[in-house]
Amino acid sequence: SSGINAEWPLRPGVMKITEMSWVRDFREFANDTSAHGVKYIFEGPYKLVKLLFLVTWLGLSIYACNVIITSVITYVQKPTSTKFEVLQDSGMTDKPESIKFPTISVCSMNKVKKSFLDAGDNVLLKEYYEVLDQYDVAKAEELAARFEDPEDDMYQIKDVLYEDLIEQGGPNKDRLLKCQQRGQYCNTLKAFENNVDRISVMENSMTGRCWRVNPDGELQGKMGDYGSLKLMFWADVQDYSTRSADTENQGFVVAFHDNGTYGSSMASGFLMSPGTYYKADLRRKAEIRRKDKIESCDVSLVANTYGSYNEGSCALECKDKAIHEACGCVNVVPPLNNGKYRSCNLEEWVKCGLKAYRSWYDDYTNPDLSTKICPCSTACEEIRYEAQISSSSVSPAFAAGIF
């Protein structure tokens, strides 16, 4: 009888410990963990508070697990970018003998010269341009009204093309004073021996008239200073129009790009001031993106009216489409136009083109609207030139020798 009485008190105790062991373990974890708030699941003053902490903790734990799992799956299935960089693809196992030089676009900050506007035959063009160059829509509308009156002098120039104004009023080609490589003038180099006119050509763009040096990409060079190309331009600062002379900077915008690309690279160009010597160290990169990893890469987009497809050329073509849809013309036809667009005349540009461009520009530069205005895909293949720029003032002795 005493043996039976000795065993019974132990059984309920054993059953309780076995049944609530997970609670005990969780309580110990809650007291020992550094995770904030977990211990209040057991130490809260009221059952409702304990329940609140329990529900909150479980919800946040589930959310955290979901974020971690989603991130891991996204990383495994869709990496942000897969890119191959080719500094020089020569097709040979040996070190290449030469490196392809970029095409160099140089655009003057002075879109229309003062001397052109001051010419006796261009009085009306000067009056027109000085209003237009302010990008003031209200003043442009006042000017547009004058084209309605055949008795107004402004009516005489209504059919002049806007692009002709840019071409005739822009810098002269001979303002490229010098082009040398390895101490040789460019017209004696093998790359241009059959056609010296292809050392540089002039290109009309929305930023003005630009030089396009090495337009066919024929020029080759060596690494470092051994094959460097030297260019010298005359800025004609004294010939800046009233509006251009009043801006905070003067000189040129310079861009280095593949010869298959046109003015689309100017948005990322380098500002270079008169009286300064610049040295540009360039690195050629061929970027190849995998379509199966980057959804925005569209292999069907190879070229457009601005040459090789990239996001910059897509934006410029988007600009042309917006202005053409509104006005039936564009300010400057793209370099590979093939009859797709025509240039606005002065009446069309002041009445419709300028307003359409300002509307497009305001929408495109708005971060909340830009992707909707111009949904440009990433280029699957793209050649870029990265540049590191250093500069110093031109010495007075050297400057005196130019003249």
Side-chain angles (χ1 to χ4, degrees):
S1 173
S2 61
I4 295 175
N5 290 333
E7 292 180 4
W8 277 105
L10 295 176
R11 291 187 177 181
V14 172
M15 291 297 293
K16 184 176 181 181
I17 293 174
T18 304
E19 183 179 354
M20 302 300 292
S21 61
W22 65 274
V23 177
R24 181 196 59 192
D25 293 341
F26 188 62
R27 184 191 298 273
E28 291 177 358
F29 166 77
N31 290 330
D32 296 337
T33 183
S34 61
H36 298 291
V38 180
K39 65 179 181 179
Y40 295 114
I41 296 173
F42 297 96
E43 296 181 2
Y46 305 104
K47 290 184 178 181
L48 182 61
V49 174
K50 295 178 182 180
L51 179 62
L52 177 62
F53 273 109
L54 176 61
V55 172
T56 302
W57 184 80
L58 288 175
L60 293 176
S61 297
I62 293 171
Y63 175 74
C65 292
N66 179 65
V67 170
I68 294 172
I69 293 172
T70 302
S71 299
V72 171
I73 293 174
T74 301
Y75 175 79
V76 172
Q77 293 185 348
K78 293 186 178 298
T80 304
S81 175
T82 301
K83 182 172 65 177
F84 304 91
E85 295 184 2
V86 182
L87 300 186
Q88 179 63 36
D89 185 5
S90 63
M92 301 183 298
T93 56
D94 297 332
K95 183 178 178 180
E97 293 296 325
S98 61
I99 298 175
K100 181 181 178 181
F101 254 87
T103 294
I104 306 171
S105 291
V106 182
C107 295
S108 173
M109 298 293 291
N110 187 28
K111 188 181 289 186
V112 179
K113 299 179 302 221
K114 180 177 181 293
S115 58
F116 174 80
L117 296 174
D118 287 344
D121 296 338
N122 296 333
V123 175
L124 294 174
L125 290 176
K126 179 179 181 179
E127 185 178 357
Y128 177 93
Y129 184 74
E130 287 185 346
V131 172
L132 197 72
D133 201 31
Q134 298 180 49
Y135 287 90
D136 188 320
V137 174
K139 291 184 178 181
E141 289 176 350
E142 295 176 6
L143 180 63
R146 298 180 58 184
F147 285 98
E148 300 290 342
D149 183 6
E151 301 299 323
D152 194 301
D153 291 340
M154 196 62 65
Y155 190 82
Q156 301 174 27
I157 62 171
K158 71 183 186 70
D159 293 326
V160 175
L161 297 182
Y162 179 84
E163 186 163 2
D164 288 345
L165 172 61
I166 298 298
E167 183 172 350
Q168 296 169 17
N172 298 329
K173 186 178 181 182
D174 61 8
R175 291 346 233 176
L176 171 54
L177 302 182
K178 184 185 291 185
C179 175
Q180 285 184 318
Q181 186 184 44
R182 306 189 309 278
Q184 291 181 261
Y185 285 100
C186 289
N187 58 354
T188 65
L189 296 175
K190 184 178 180 181
F192 307 117
E193 62 182 357
N194 295 324
N195 193 353
V196 294
D197 291 335
R198 300 304 291 177
I199 295 174
S200 71
V201 296
M202 300 301 290
E203 172 190 358
N204 297 329
S205 73
M206 63 176 293
T207 57
R209 190 159 169 78
C210 309
W211 289 269
R212 187 173 163 87
V213 183
N214 188 32
D216 303 320
E218 295 292 335
L219 190 63
Q220 300 287 318
K222 299 286 287 186
M223 183 179 67
D225 293 337
Y226 299 105
S228 61
L229 180 70
K230 292 185 178 181
L231 303 174
M232 183 187 298
F233 293 85
W234 185 255
D236 280 319
V237 174
Q238 79 289 345
D239 204 13
Y240 269 47
S241 64
T242 303
R243 178 67 176 172
S244 298
D246 193 36
T247 57
E248 65 272 18
N249 48 52
Q250 298 177 343
F252 305 93
V253 176
V254 181
F256 308 95
H257 52 91
D258 185 68
N259 66 293
T261 304
Y262 288 82
S264 59
S265 57
M266 295 311 298
S268 58
F270 298 91
L271 177 64
M272 297 189 177
S273 302
T276 309
Y277 176 87
Y278 292 91
K279 180 182 178 183
D281 295 314
L282 303 177
R283 183 174 185 234
R284 184 174 185 265
K285 295 174 60 179
E287 297 182 353
I288 303 173
R289 301 176 178 93
R290 290 177 55 183
K291 175 64 178 74
D292 60 327
K293 297 296 183 181
I294 304 177
E295 292 182 355
S296 62
C297 163
D298 188 344
V299 293
S300 66
L301 298 175
V302 179
N304 54 29
T305 55
Y306 286 90
S308 300
Y309 179 86
N310 56 44
E311 292 182 73
S313 66
C314 174
L316 285 182
E317 190 168 55
C318 173
K319 179 263 300 180
D320 288 342
K321 287 179 179 178
I323 298 175
H324 186 265
E325 288 176 2
C327 310
C329 57
V330 297
N331 51 352
V332 176
V333 296
L336 303 181
N337 185 44
N338 296 324
K340 189 173 184 178
Y341 302 112
R342 65 175 181 85
S343 177
C344 295
N345 59 40
L346 298 187
E347 181 182 16
E348 291 171 323
W349 184 249
V350 75
K351 284 185 175 181
C352 178
L354 180 61
K355 185 177 181 180
Y357 171 72
R358 289 298 308 177
S359 176
W360 174 86
Y361 179 83
D362 291 342
D363 289 342
Y364 182 69
T365 54
N366 184 337
D368 297 328
L369 298 176
S370 59
T371 55
K372 299 177 183 178
I373 299 300
C374 299
C376 295
S377 299
T378 304
C380 294
E381 295 188 16
E382 186 175 5
I383 294 177
R384 295 176 180 268
Y385 284 87
E386 294 182 346
Q388 291 183 331
I389 308 293
S390 56
S391 64
S392 65
S393 299
V394 174
S395 69
F398 178 83
I402 297 176
F403 303 101

